Amino acid sequence: MRSQQGEKAKPKHRKGLWSPEEDNKLRNHILNHGHGCWSSVSIKAGLQRNGKSCRLRWINYLRPGLKKGMFSKQEEETILTLHSMLGNKLHNI
């Protein structure tokens, strides 16, 4: 059993919606330094979030070049053509 004095306290991580300030901190840090280890990104960027939360925010919302919205007509045709050729599962990749 650990004594209360020698026990390390876990850092308190924020949960819930991201503020615009947090988005800017994460975006600026990754664009300037890259991501590397996501757990350290959280600390180095000055965020009180866990690494997984930072990774998901970057990949799903903040990443440059992230395309949201409808597929173009050409993209839709490509998907349908490949699906008719390959089906739902890709084998031997």
Side-chain angles (χ1 to χ4, degrees), residues 63-76:
R63 185 171 33 119
L66 180 66
K67 183 179 175 189
K68 296 207 172 205
M70 302 293 289
F71 291 120
S72 70
K73 194 67 177 164
Q74 183 180 1
E75 290 170 327
E76 190 174 332

Side-chain angles (χ1 to χ4, degrees), residues 23-39:
D23 283 345
N24 286 333
K25 282 183 179 182
L26 182 61
R27 183 183 299 111
N28 291 336
H29 178 80
I30 293 175
L31 293 176
N32 291 328
H33 305 288
H35 56 77
C37 173
W38 287 104
S39 297

Side-chain angles (χ1 to χ4, degrees), residues 7 35 45 48 63 79:
E7 193 173 315
H35 56 77
Q48 293 180 328
R63 185 171 33 119
I79 292 168

Side-chain angles (χ1 to χ4, degrees), residues 33-81:
H33 305 288
H35 56 77
C37 173
W38 287 104
S39 297
S40 65
V41 166
S42 166
I43 296 165
K44 291 177 182 176
L47 297 167
Q48 293 180 328
R49 301 278 183 167
N50 63 23
K52 181 179 180 181
S53 181
C54 292
R55 178 178 57 86
L56 291 174
R57 187 69 178 174
W58 175 254
I59 290 171
N60 294 325
Y61 296 99
L62 301 177
R63 185 171 33 119
L66 180 66
K67 183 179 175 189
K68 296 207 172 205
M70 302 293 289
F71 291 120
S72 70
K73 194 67 177 164
Q74 183 180 1
E75 290 170 327
E76 190 174 332
E77 289 171 5
T78 302
I79 292 168
L80 293 173
T81 301

